Amino acid sequence: PMRVFGEFADNIEGHDRAHAAAELGEFDAHTGQHYAWMIGGAIGQLKAKNDWEIRAWYQYAQQYALDPNLVDSDIFDSRINEKGVAVKVGYMMADAISLNLTWAYSWRINGSLGTGGSGDIPINPLDQYQIFQADMSVKF
């Protein structure tokens, strides 16, 4: 099966968060930074042995769009103010064992803002990020 998927977020308190950051002297008030969205497509499915799936998506998360504690840690190192692409390929080795290979690449949206988040890399701002990872999952 083929499918298209996506998500959209508008942080209605994003303007307030931008003004609060500006009052702390960290940045100018970047009040337009409150949107996040993702769109992608997939083919295949992972349900039984020898099934396969390929997913690809584009992700865009402005500085004040999301709570940095809730951003996916596998893609783009849990960062906001990042946009990028990701591709995930999965294969079911057995009915309960799947193998996934993921590649992702992102870059900073607004060069005058940091890339907040609770990532593994202790650098802020993170101008570019690339990851390749392999995961094996066992369902029981």
Side-chain angles (χ1 to χ4, degrees):
M2 294 176 59
R3 60 199 167 282
V4 174
F5 54 88
E7 297 177 356
F8 176 79
D10 179 3
N11 186 345
I12 59 175
E13 295 182 3
H15 293 292
D16 296 336
R17 292 178 65 195
H19 284 297
E23 288 174 9
L24 293 173
E26 295 178 15
F27 313 108
D28 294 331
H30 292 277
T31 58
Q33 296 286 316
H34 55 93
Y35 295 110
W37 54 273
M38 184 259 299
I39 188 162
I43 185 169
Q45 64 182 356
L46 298 179
K47 290 190 174 188
K49 184 177 179 179
N50 294 323
D51 283 352
W52 57 271
E53 178 182 57
I54 299 173
R55 291 176 177 241
W57 66 93
Y58 179 83
Q59 184 171 311
Y60 184 94
Q62 292 178 322
Q63 181 71 19
Y64 305 109
L66 305 168
D67 184 325
N69 298 308
L70 301 176
V71 179
D72 184 359
S73 63
D74 286 341
I75 305 298
F76 311 150
D77 196 39
S78 300
R79 303 301 179 112
I80 49 179
N81 191 29
E82 290 280 319
K83 62 183 174 181
V85 295
V87 178
K88 185 175 190 177
V89 177
Y91 178 73
M92 291 295 290
M93 299 170 65
D95 286 341
I97 301 173
S98 64
L99 175 65
N100 287 293
L101 303 174
T102 306
W103 171 81
Y105 179 78
S106 73
W107 55 97
R108 197 159 44 146
I109 295 170
N110 186 323
S112 62
L113 296 173
T115 52
S118 57
D120 296 325
I121 300 171
I123 298 171
N124 189 357
L126 191 62
D127 287 321
Q128 296 178 357
Y129 178 76
Q130 183 170 227
I131 188 171
F132 179 77
Q133 66 184 21
D135 295 311
M136 185 182 308
S137 301
V138 178
K139 294 180 184 180
F140 53 92

